[in-house]
Amino acid sequence: MASRARGEDGAPTSRSETASPAREQTRQRVIEAAIGLLTNEGRDAVTTRAVADAAGLQPPAIYRLFGDKDGLLDAVAEHGFTAFLATKRVDPDPQDPIEDLRAGWDVAAEFGLANPALFTLMYSEPSRADSAAFRAGMEILRARIRRLAAGGWLRVDEDLAAQIINATARGAVLTWLSLPEERRNPALLTALREAMVAAVTNEKPSVRAPGPAGAARALRAALPDQSNLSVAEQHLLGEWLNRLAADG
């Protein structure tokens, strides 16, 4: 007699219950169980057996869904990046682009402080930069930086600006979390944010000041929107602008 199909929890299930939506619901239940353990008891509590128990499954289900514990932790981190992405506020035409930059940095810090265990997991492995949600969040940041460059506000190269902004926000949160509660001074976060602003932006738009570097950055930021140049022409002009911008 043919054996009956069983679900991730080991119980008999119909063919329709093994379809993708049911699997995804089970997968989400496991991720939420892992986040609960991570938040309430710490990373060491996130064992395959403990997560399975919390999700009402048998341990082998974790391996079928995620491959191994590392796969589960990667899925939890991806969930975190997706939740963080949902908090990002996008203004395509901010009245003050530097205040918009500050606001974006604050959102990142606030998410980390509100979700300390999850935030630490998200940034504990360099390979998690391959996360689709992480990349989407970086695109939002890069668009914000591009607006700064187009307005002549950007002091450094766009890639370096993205690295500085990301590193200071991440470092600020992780440093804050590493401190005993009695030593956590909100002035630390403000100082690090303002150091970031000073490092990546000009006090005045550089296109109004002498020197070609700021103008080159502004023109380079607008280059992708130009439709009257061929791809080859855009590439060549981009190389020239890169050289000019590097001299500033």
Side-chain angles (χ1 to χ4, degrees):
M1 180 182 295
S3 61
R4 216 176 146 189
R6 293 181 177 272
E8 302 293 354
D9 58 359
T13 183
S14 67
R15 190 176 295 268
S16 62
E17 289 175 327
T18 61
S20 180
R23 180 183 177 86
E24 185 56 34
Q25 288 176 3
T26 302
R27 191 174 185 276
Q28 188 62 31
R29 193 164 87 239
V30 172
I31 290 172
E32 290 173 357
I35 291 174
L37 287 167
L38 180 69
T39 301
N40 296 322
E41 302 180 41
R43 181 165 176 167
D44 290 345
V46 186
T47 65
T48 301
R49 179 168 296 279
V51 173
D53 288 345
L57 305 174
Q58 295 298 320
I62 306 296
Y63 295 98
R64 288 196 294 271
L65 288 165
F66 301 98
D68 55 20
K69 180 181 174 180
D70 287 341
L72 170 60
L73 291 176
D74 285 343
V76 170
E78 176 69 14
H79 178 91
F81 285 123
T82 301
F84 177 34
L85 182 62
T87 68
K88 288 179 176 283
R89 298 183 290 272
V90 181
D91 184 348
D93 187 22
Q95 184 174 0
D96 186 332
I98 295 183
E99 282 304 310
D100 184 57
L101 175 62
R102 285 190 175 97
W105 195 96
D106 286 344
V107 166
E110 288 164 6
F111 179 86
L113 299 184
N115 303 275
L118 181 58
F119 188 90
T120 302
L121 175 68
M122 288 160 57
Y123 292 105
S124 63
E125 298 290 342
S127 62
R128 295 200 175 113
D130 293 332
S131 154
F134 176 84
R135 292 197 304 269
M138 288 301 295
E139 283 305 308
I140 292 174
L141 174 59
R142 289 182 184 281
R144 182 173 277 126
I145 293 169
R146 199 168 299 120
R147 287 192 293 271
L148 286 166
W153 293 103
L154 198 63
R155 179 188 294 272
V156 298
D157 178 83
E158 290 183 37
D159 283 341
L160 180 57
Q163 292 167 16
I164 291 171
I165 296 165
N166 189 46
T168 53
R170 184 189 311 186
V173 171
L174 295 179
T175 299
W176 175 277
L177 296 176
S178 73
L179 295 171
E181 288 193 20
E182 66 272 13
R183 292 182 56 199
R184 292 176 178 176
N185 187 342
L188 170 67
L189 302 178
T190 301
L192 289 172
R193 185 193 64 197
E194 293 310 302
M196 174 276 297
V197 171
V200 303
T201 67
N202 298 304
E203 292 183 9
K204 296 180 180 180
S206 62
V207 292
R208 299 174 188 168
R217 292 189 189 107
L219 181 55
R220 184 178 58 186
L223 191 59
D225 296 329
Q226 302 305 307
S227 58
N228 56 343
L229 297 177
S230 68
V231 174
E233 288 170 335
Q234 287 195 37
H235 180 74
L236 182 58
L237 179 56
E239 286 190 354
W240 292 340
L241 294 173
N242 286 342
R243 293 180 191 175
L244 289 170
D247 290 336

